[in-house]
Amino acid sequence: KQFEPESFDVVTLWHVLEHVPSPTQTLKEIRTILKPDGKLILASPNFDTWLRAWLGNCWFPFEIPRHLTHFSKTTITKILEQNGFKVTKVFAQRHGQITQRSIKYLAKQSNKKLYHLLSHSRSACSAIETLTFLTGQPSRIIIHAHKNCSRKV
């Protein structure tokens, strides 16, 4: 069902944009239904985390085919700006489940006892996730943006 243009103050996409076949089309539709001073708040796995580099194909957010697109702070900002939004804040967020699930994948793939032990330790996974957060490369990012009415799309 279609929504009326400019009918929403806020739209949230909590781990949605990486699942849609056309993020650009989705953002265009959201821009249409947002009021002129409307806000978009979204969360997404962060492709630029060193956790992804360390874990390779075992990084949980690679879960293809469910995740169709992967974003970093730079790429999400770019796609938002190209579709008529202005990013106002980008937050780092710790998310221990991404770390724990990723290490479980790694444990299954590598058959190494250390990874198996780590995958069952919430405190160890939380500590690893805290390191990603402290280094500015978290496994999850939250973005606040608003509709840029001065830009035609």
Side-chain angles (χ1 to χ4, degrees):
K1 180 178 176 177
Q2 296 280 332
F3 294 105
E4 293 293 319
E6 298 185 347
S7 57
F8 289 90
D9 295 310
V10 178
V11 172
T12 59
L13 299 177
W14 217 250
H15 291 273
V16 172
L17 203 58
E18 64 269 20
H19 295 271
V20 299
S22 177
T24 298
Q25 184 59 37
T26 300
L27 291 171
K28 286 179 182 176
E29 290 174 19
I30 289 168
R31 189 175 188 282
T32 299
I33 63 171
L34 275 174
K35 292 180 181 178
D37 58 347
K39 294 178 179 25
L40 171 63
I41 302 169
L42 64 95
S44 176
N46 178 21
F47 189 77
D48 279 348
T49 181
W50 59 261
L51 197 58
R52 178 199 48 85
W54 172 48
L55 295 166
N57 290 335
C58 293
W59 186 54
F60 182 71
F62 271 147
E63 55 181 337
I64 296 170
R66 291 185 344 130
H67 285 180
L68 304 174
T69 309
H70 298 93
F71 300 103
S72 66
K73 292 176 191 179
T74 303
T75 60
I76 195 73
T77 298
K78 184 175 180 180
I79 194 171
L80 286 166
E81 288 176 352
Q82 289 172 342
N83 288 282
F85 292 91
K86 177 155 180 53
V87 173
T88 55
K89 292 181 185 176
V90 179
F91 297 91
Q93 185 183 35
R94 289 180 284 177
H95 195 277
Q97 285 184 346
I98 288 175
T99 302
Q100 192 165 23
R101 288 177 180 172
S102 298
I103 293 174
K104 280 183 181 181
Y105 285 167
L106 185 62
K108 285 179 185 176
Q109 196 174 73
S110 72
N111 247 355
K112 291 189 179 177
K113 190 171 184 172
L114 174 63
Y115 296 136
H116 180 74
L117 291 171
L118 279 175
S119 73
H120 291 287
S121 171
R122 284 188 181 186
S123 58
C125 292
S126 180
I128 293 168
E129 188 62 35
T130 298
L131 285 174
T132 69
F133 181 77
L134 293 173
T135 59
Q137 295 181 329
S139 59
R140 179 192 279 181
I141 50 178
I142 299 172
I143 298 92
H144 288 204
H146 67 264
K147 185 175 180 177
N148 187 350
C149 292
S150 64
R151 177 167 160 67
K152 297 245 180 190
V153 181

PDB file of all heavy atoms in Angstrom, residues 95-110:
ATOM      1  N   HIS A  95      27.889  -4.492  19.366  1.00  0.00           N
ATOM      2  CA  HIS A  95      26.886  -5.525  19.146  1.00  0.00           C
ATOM      3  C   HIS A  95      27.565  -6.886  19.270  1.00  0.00           C
ATOM      4  O   HIS A  95      28.056  -7.434  18.290  1.00  0.00           O
ATOM      5  CB  HIS A  95      26.243  -5.356  17.769  1.00  0.00           C
ATOM      6  CG  HIS A  95      24.985  -6.138  17.593  1.00  0.00           C
ATOM      7  ND1 HIS A  95      24.987  -7.467  17.245  1.00  0.00           N
ATOM      8  CD2 HIS A  95      23.703  -5.791  17.747  1.00  0.00           C
ATOM      9  CE1 HIS A  95      23.739  -7.896  17.167  1.00  0.00           C
ATOM     10  NE2 HIS A  95      22.941  -6.897  17.468  1.00  0.00           N
ATOM     11  N   GLY A  96      27.596  -7.416  20.479  1.00  0.00           N
ATOM     12  CA  GLY A  96      28.297  -8.655  20.760  1.00  0.00           C
ATOM     13  C   GLY A  96      27.797  -9.866  19.993  1.00  0.00           C
ATOM     14  O   GLY A  96      28.545 -10.796  19.734  1.00  0.00           O
ATOM     15  N   GLN A  97      26.521  -9.863  19.611  1.00  0.00           N
ATOM     16  CA  GLN A  97      25.993 -11.014  18.880  1.00  0.00           C
ATOM     17  C   GLN A  97      26.650 -11.164  17.523  1.00  0.00           C
ATOM     18  O   GLN A  97      26.857 -12.282  17.060  1.00  0.00           O
ATOM     19  CB  GLN A  97      24.477 -10.903  18.723  1.00  0.00           C
ATOM     20  CG  GLN A  97      23.727 -11.200  19.988  1.00  0.00           C
ATOM     21  CD  GLN A  97      22.229 -11.172  19.750  1.00  0.00           C
ATOM     22  OE1 GLN A  97      21.744 -10.699  18.738  1.00  0.00           O
ATOM     23  NE2 GLN A  97      21.483 -11.698  20.713  1.00  0.00           N
ATOM     24  N   ILE A  98      26.972 -10.056  16.861  1.00  0.00           N
ATOM     25  CA  ILE A  98      27.653 -10.145  15.568  1.00  0.00           C
ATOM     26  C   ILE A  98      29.000 -10.833  15.762  1.00  0.00           C
ATOM     27  O   ILE A  98      29.369 -11.734  15.010  1.00  0.00           O
ATOM     28  CB  ILE A  98      27.822  -8.757  14.914  1.00  0.00           C
ATOM     29  CG1 ILE A  98      26.463  -8.246  14.423  1.00  0.00           C
ATOM     30  CG2 ILE A  98      28.822  -8.813  13.760  1.00  0.00           C
ATOM     31  CD1 ILE A  98      26.490  -6.835  13.856  1.00  0.00           C
ATOM     32  N   THR A  99      29.708 -10.433  16.793  1.00  0.00           N
ATOM     33  CA  THR A  99      31.009 -11.028  17.081  1.00  0.00           C
ATOM     34  C   THR A  99      30.860 -12.508  17.423  1.00  0.00           C
ATOM     35  O   THR A  99      31.563 -13.361  16.866  1.00  0.00           O
ATOM     36  CB  THR A  99      31.701 -10.283  18.237  1.00  0.00           C
ATOM     37  OG1 THR A  99      31.827  -8.912  17.881  1.00  0.00           O
ATOM     38  CG2 THR A  99      33.068 -10.861  18.524  1.00  0.00           C
ATOM     39  N   GLN A 100      29.947 -12.815  18.307  1.00  0.00           N
ATOM     40  CA  GLN A 100      29.783 -14.200  18.751  1.00  0.00           C
ATOM     41  C   GLN A 100      29.349 -15.113  17.600  1.00  0.00           C
ATOM     42  O   GLN A 100      29.907 -16.200  17.427  1.00  0.00           O
ATOM     43  CB  GLN A 100      28.781 -14.269  19.901  1.00  0.00           C
ATOM     44  CG  GLN A 100      28.781 -15.624  20.584  1.00  0.00           C
ATOM     45  CD  GLN A 100      28.078 -15.593  21.933  1.00  0.00           C
ATOM     46  OE1 GLN A 100      27.254 -14.729  22.195  1.00  0.00           O
ATOM     47  NE2 GLN A 100      28.401 -16.542  22.782  1.00  0.00           N
ATOM     48  N   ARG A 101      28.388 -14.682  16.816  1.00  0.00           N
ATOM     49  CA  ARG A 101      27.945 -15.507  15.686  1.00  0.00           C
ATOM     50  C   ARG A 101      29.061 -15.690  14.661  1.00  0.00           C
ATOM     51  O   ARG A 101      29.216 -16.759  14.085  1.00  0.00           O
ATOM     52  CB  ARG A 101      26.716 -14.890  15.035  1.00  0.00           C
ATOM     53  CG  ARG A 101      25.483 -15.023  15.875  1.00  0.00           C
ATOM     54  CD  ARG A 101      24.305 -14.352  15.236  1.00  0.00           C
ATOM     55  NE  ARG A 101      23.121 -14.499  16.055  1.00  0.00           N
ATOM     56  CZ  ARG A 101      21.986 -13.876  15.803  1.00  0.00           C
ATOM     57  NH1 ARG A 101      21.880 -13.072  14.768  1.00  0.00           N
ATOM     58  NH2 ARG A 101      20.952 -14.049  16.590  1.00  0.00           N
ATOM     59  N   SER A 102      29.828 -14.624  14.433  1.00  0.00           N
ATOM     60  CA  SER A 102      30.936 -14.702  13.487  1.00  0.00           C
ATOM     61  C   SER A 102      31.985 -15.702  13.958  1.00  0.00           C
ATOM     62  O   SER A 102      32.494 -16.513  13.162  1.00  0.00           O
ATOM     63  CB  SER A 102      31.585 -13.323  13.315  1.00  0.00           C
ATOM     64  OG  SER A 102      30.665 -12.396  12.779  1.00  0.00           O
ATOM     65  N   ILE A 103      32.318 -15.661  15.225  1.00  0.00           N
ATOM     66  CA  ILE A 103      33.329 -16.579  15.759  1.00  0.00           C
ATOM     67  C   ILE A 103      32.805 -18.017  15.759  1.00  0.00           C
ATOM     68  O   ILE A 103      33.559 -18.965  15.530  1.00  0.00           O
ATOM     69  CB  ILE A 103      33.823 -16.122  17.145  1.00  0.00           C
ATOM     70  CG1 ILE A 103      34.591 -14.792  16.984  1.00  0.00           C
ATOM     71  CG2 ILE A 103      34.727 -17.166  17.787  1.00  0.00           C
ATOM     72  CD1 ILE A 103      35.017 -14.138  18.267  1.00  0.00           C
ATOM     73  N   LYS A 104      31.498 -18.198  15.929  1.00  0.00           N
ATOM     74  CA  LYS A 104      30.917 -19.546  15.820  1.00  0.00           C
ATOM     75  C   LYS A 104      31.095 -20.087  14.405  1.00  0.00           C
ATOM     76  O   LYS A 104      31.426 -21.248  14.202  1.00  0.00           O
ATOM     77  CB  LYS A 104      29.438 -19.539  16.208  1.00  0.00           C
ATOM     78  CG  LYS A 104      29.222 -19.538  17.698  1.00  0.00           C
ATOM     79  CD  LYS A 104      27.757 -19.609  18.058  1.00  0.00           C
ATOM     80  CE  LYS A 104      27.620 -19.582  19.575  1.00  0.00           C
ATOM     81  NZ  LYS A 104      26.245 -19.664  20.013  1.00  0.00           N
ATOM     82  N   TYR A 105      30.866 -19.234  13.398  1.00  0.00           N
ATOM     83  CA  TYR A 105      31.104 -19.642  12.009  1.00  0.00           C
ATOM     84  C   TYR A 105      32.563 -20.033  11.820  1.00  0.00           C
ATOM     85  O   TYR A 105      32.882 -21.036  11.195  1.00  0.00           O
ATOM     86  CB  TYR A 105      30.764 -18.515  11.028  1.00  0.00           C
ATOM     87  CG  TYR A 105      29.306 -18.261  10.781  1.00  0.00           C
ATOM     88  CD1 TYR A 105      28.908 -17.102  10.120  1.00  0.00           C
ATOM     89  CD2 TYR A 105      28.302 -19.144  11.170  1.00  0.00           C
ATOM     90  CE1 TYR A 105      27.572 -16.833   9.869  1.00  0.00           C
ATOM     91  CE2 TYR A 105      26.970 -18.882  10.926  1.00  0.00           C
ATOM     92  CZ  TYR A 105      26.617 -17.730  10.271  1.00  0.00           C
ATOM     93  OH  TYR A 105      25.296 -17.466  10.024  1.00  0.00           O
ATOM     94  N   LEU A 106      33.450 -19.202  12.352  1.00  0.00           N
ATOM     95  CA  LEU A 106      34.886 -19.458  12.232  1.00  0.00           C
ATOM     96  C   LEU A 106      35.270 -20.768  12.924  1.00  0.00           C
ATOM     97  O   LEU A 106      36.066 -21.553  12.390  1.00  0.00           O
ATOM     98  CB  LEU A 106      35.677 -18.286  12.820  1.00  0.00           C
ATOM     99  CG  LEU A 106      37.193 -18.322  12.682  1.00  0.00           C
ATOM    100  CD1 LEU A 106      37.604 -18.322  11.212  1.00  0.00           C
ATOM    101  CD2 LEU A 106      37.804 -17.116  13.399  1.00  0.00           C
ATOM    102  N   ALA A 107      34.695 -21.033  14.083  1.00  0.00           N
ATOM    103  CA  ALA A 107      34.981 -22.269  14.816  1.00  0.00           C
ATOM    104  C   ALA A 107      34.566 -23.490  14.000  1.00  0.00           C
ATOM    105  O   ALA A 107      35.302 -24.481  13.930  1.00  0.00           O
ATOM    106  CB  ALA A 107      34.270 -22.255  16.167  1.00  0.00           C
ATOM    107  N   LYS A 108      33.397 -23.414  13.366  1.00  0.00           N
ATOM    108  CA  LYS A 108      32.927 -24.538  12.547  1.00  0.00           C
ATOM    109  C   LYS A 108      33.831 -24.746  11.338  1.00  0.00           C
ATOM    110  O   LYS A 108      34.126 -25.869  10.961  1.00  0.00           O
ATOM    111  CB  LYS A 108      31.491 -24.287  12.081  1.00  0.00           C
ATOM    112  CG  LYS A 108      30.468 -24.479  13.154  1.00  0.00           C
ATOM    113  CD  LYS A 108      29.081 -24.197  12.614  1.00  0.00           C
ATOM    114  CE  LYS A 108      28.047 -24.259  13.719  1.00  0.00           C
ATOM    115  NZ  LYS A 108      26.721 -23.889  13.237  1.00  0.00           N
ATOM    116  N   GLN A 109      34.251 -23.649  10.742  1.00  0.00           N
ATOM    117  CA  GLN A 109      35.056 -23.730   9.528  1.00  0.00           C
ATOM    118  C   GLN A 109      36.492 -24.175   9.805  1.00  0.00           C
ATOM    119  O   GLN A 109      37.060 -24.937   9.046  1.00  0.00           O
ATOM    120  CB  GLN A 109      35.054 -22.382   8.814  1.00  0.00           C
ATOM    121  CG  GLN A 109      35.524 -22.436   7.381  1.00  0.00           C
ATOM    122  CD  GLN A 109      35.344 -21.107   6.710  1.00  0.00           C
ATOM    123  OE1 GLN A 109      36.082 -20.182   6.988  1.00  0.00           O
ATOM    124  NE2 GLN A 109      34.358 -21.015   5.835  1.00  0.00           N
ATOM    125  N   SER A 110      37.064 -23.703  10.895  1.00  0.00           N
ATOM    126  CA  SER A 110      38.482 -23.961  11.140  1.00  0.00           C
ATOM    127  C   SER A 110      38.748 -25.178  12.017  1.00  0.00           C
ATOM    128  O   SER A 110      39.837 -25.719  12.017  1.00  0.00           O
ATOM    129  CB  SER A 110      39.128 -22.743  11.786  1.00  0.00           C
ATOM    130  OG  SER A 110      38.682 -22.615  13.127  1.00  0.00           O
TER     131      SER A 110
END
